[in-house]
Amino acid sequence: MAKKIALKTRKQVFGEMLGNNASLFQGEGFEFAELREYIYGDDVRKIDWKTTAKLRKPYVKIYHEERELNVVVSTMLSGSAWFGTQRPKSEYMAELLAVLGFSAVKNSDLFTHLLYADRLYRMSRPSKKLFSVTKELEEALAFDPLGKEADYAGWSDTLYRRVKKKSLMFLIGDFVGEVDLRLLSRKHDLFVIIVRDRFEEHPKCLGYLRLVDPESGESFEGDINEGVMAEYRKAMVANDRRLYRHLRKNGIRYVKLYTDEDPFAKLIKRMR
């Protein structure tokens, strides 16, 4: 599985991104370095129009962080990530990790991965090597999320303490629960990726059955009828409204991806 995902994502990242400096992400608002002539594939938003008008050739502004970003990807692989009707959310999150990691390496940026659930399980060293991305993909796929409860407060606190340098930080999880990223957003440029299975948001009546919570291991037995599903859907909508409000208030970019979507295509669309 790791080899299949690695080959797919490497082909997408290295085959479909054009230009010398093309990437899923670009540094913005950092220290100005120089002006240089426009090269095919450069972000047109970086064109300096005054210089372009004077010299009658397109010129772009280059910033120090555009040359080397510190890209941190952190995956929340708690028990709920084990669920999936199309594919497990944990597998989808691992593919996102690979897309972001390979994009960082292609752009000559430093890539770091932190794997979290109820505690920190893994933190890689910053690297610009392809094998480091493949290694983190393998570790994420091999990780067993069952029985691990998501600790969002601990996740945010750990990232704040362990990642010293200002970074472009991607947080990948299903984000069901109380989330507070205020402090972390003041230190880093955050991008939240919410991963869901469509069945989670639009479940059908299942009848009488026994369910087991993949995080706590607690079981429930009863009739999963329309009344129960209506309350569940109401709770999910309330969770997401609260989450979106928090992210917008703190200037945090975000996107929601479903396990039946191509993560690369949607990330390209959202981040450009």
Side-chain angles (χ1 to χ4, degrees), residues 5-6 9 13 24-25 71-77 87 89-105 111-115 122 124 130 132-143 170-172 193 195 257 263-264 267:
I5 292 176
T9 52
V13 171
L24 274 175
F25 29 82
V71 178
V72 176
V73 181
S74 187
T75 47
M76 170 56 82
L77 291 178
R87 59 194 294 200
K89 288 186 291 182
S90 57
E91 181 186 309
Y92 192 85
M93 292 177 191
E95 184 169 334
L96 282 166
L97 162 66
V99 167
L100 294 167
F102 285 132
S103 183
V105 170
F111 162 74
T112 305
H113 174 232
L114 291 90
L115 194 160
R122 181 174 180 82
S124 68
L130 290 172
S132 66
V133 181
T134 304
K135 175 64 175 176
E136 295 311 304
L137 170 62
E138 292 172 347
E139 291 290 340
L141 288 172
F143 184 74
F170 293 88
L171 306 182
I172 306 173
I193 304 177
V195 175
L257 302 178
F264 178 82
L267 276 178

Side-chain angles (χ1 to χ4, degrees), residues 85-211:
T85 55
Q86 300 292 324
R87 59 194 294 200
K89 288 186 291 182
S90 57
E91 181 186 309
Y92 192 85
M93 292 177 191
E95 184 169 334
L96 282 166
L97 162 66
V99 167
L100 294 167
F102 285 132
S103 183
V105 170
K106 180 183 184 296
N107 207 44
S108 297
D109 295 325
L110 287 168
F111 162 74
T112 305
H113 174 232
L114 291 90
L115 194 160
Y116 205 93
D118 52 341
R119 62 177 177 83
L120 179 64
Y121 284 87
R122 181 174 180 82
M123 180 175 179
S124 68
R125 292 183 177 180
S127 175
K128 296 184 180 182
K129 304 295 184 181
L130 290 172
F131 76 82
S132 66
V133 181
T134 304
K135 175 64 175 176
E136 295 311 304
L137 170 62
E138 292 172 347
E139 291 290 340
L141 288 172
F143 184 74
D144 182 9
L146 285 176
K148 299 175 177 65
E149 296 192 49
D151 179 3
Y152 288 103
W155 190 25
S156 178
D157 180 65
T158 298
L159 289 168
Y160 185 84
R161 289 186 293 102
R162 299 293 292 269
V163 182
K164 306 296 185 182
K165 183 180 177 182
K166 180 179 174 60
S167 305
L168 174 57
M169 186 175 290
F170 293 88
L171 306 182
I172 306 173
D174 55 24
F175 291 91
V176 178
E178 294 294 329
V179 178
D180 187 349
L181 302 173
R182 288 175 296 178
L183 188 62
L184 194 61
S185 68
R186 293 171 190 156
K187 184 177 181 181
H188 302 289
D189 181 11
L190 300 187
F191 194 106
V192 166
I193 304 177
I194 306 160
V195 175
R196 298 279 175 82
D197 187 282
R198 293 191 189 276
F199 187 85
E200 288 180 294
E201 297 184 0
H202 305 285
K204 299 178 181 179
C205 297
L206 301 173
Y208 193 91
L209 46 71
R210 181 171 178 265
L211 300 174

